Amino acid sequence: MELKGKIINFLGDSITEGVGVTDPENRYDNRLQKLLELAEVHNCGIGGTRIAHQEKPSDPPVFDLCFCGRAYRLNPAADVIVVYGGVNDYMHGDAHFGEMSDKTPATFCGAVEYLMNTLKELYPHAKTVFMTPAHVCHNGNSDASPFPGEMKKPDAKPLAAYVKVIEEKAHAHDLPVLNLYEKLPIDPNRPEDSERYTVDGLHFNDEGHGVLANLLADFLRGI
């Protein structure tokens, strides 16, 4: 895929917003702009946000600006849309995990389906690309188990299940998907990776964003 001079929207959460970097220029989207000689990047990352709707209002309310609703507010001139989310659905979203047949944003499975359909309908001339969550080990909680929390529903899953939904639905919609859970060479469950590449086992530091940017650049070039 030729990307020089193109415009990319980045729809995401706190990682896309840049929590963990010492300077916004070190965020993966800004690094990508330089690597690929993009004309513009539009950062639509909001910390704490989830793909699915939230049943109980959050504090702060900005956490409830889900991806499905924000999909309607992206720059329509973009040539590419990169969607990077799902980790907050795993960690603290109160939506049910749901079933693969779900169609509405009330469950995680349904929200992923709804989001992919919406982006294709609203921006038919843009190339939509999804990235799955990467490995997480936050506050001593490994992603191999459902994340603990009072608001989590009984059908909450380990992170790999959320990754699988995004990957399988992207394939079904013929959308490129970069599986960071498998392909990003950073796993905060390894203490040495957490210390070197993250600030808290979840958010990447400057070096972590550099690794992510390089991987995503190679992936986009290969589409």
Side-chain angles (χ1 to χ4, degrees), residues 4 10 19 42 64 75 92 95 98 131 143 145 149 161 177 194 199 219 221:
K4 183 176 180 179
F10 293 87
V19 172
H42 294 273
D64 297 337
N75 184 338
H92 52 72
M131 294 197 294
D143 59 36
S145 301
V177 55
S194 184
V199 295
F219 181 78
R221 291 188 189 107

Side-chain angles (χ1 to χ4, degrees), residues 27-156:
R27 275 190 336 230
Y28 76 89
D29 60 314
N30 287 324
R31 290 175 183 261
L32 210 67
Q33 183 172 15
K34 296 174 183 176
L35 285 168
L36 300 177
E37 299 181 75
L38 301 171
E40 299 174 24
V41 294
H42 294 273
N43 189 297
C44 306
I46 299 179
T49 55
R50 314 164 187 94
I51 295 177
H53 284 180
Q54 183 81 354
E55 288 185 10
K56 183 179 179 181
S58 300
D59 184 16
V62 69
F63 284 8
D64 297 337
L65 297 176
C66 70
F67 285 38
C68 291
R70 286 154 55 213
Y72 293 87
R73 303 174 62 185
L74 301 179
N75 184 338
D79 303 287
V80 180
I81 300 169
V82 174
V83 182
Y84 181 20
V87 71
N88 290 323
D89 296 87
Y90 158 71
M91 291 179 64
H92 52 72
D94 71 358
H96 282 281
F97 183 82
E99 304 290 340
M100 290 296 280
S101 58
D102 293 346
K103 303 294 184 183
T104 72
T107 70
F108 178 74
C109 292
V112 175
E113 177 73 16
Y114 182 93
L115 179 60
M116 290 181 179
N117 281 324
T118 299
L119 291 172
K120 289 170 70 175
E121 290 172 5
L122 291 176
Y123 313 103
H125 302 297
K127 189 73 170 179
T128 298
V129 178
F130 273 73
M131 294 197 294
T132 75
H135 277 285
V136 174
C137 185
H138 189 57
N139 293 334
N141 297 296
S142 168
D143 59 36
S145 301
F147 203 82
E150 292 182 1
M151 69 176 60
K152 299 303 295 179
K153 294 293 193 292
D155 64 348

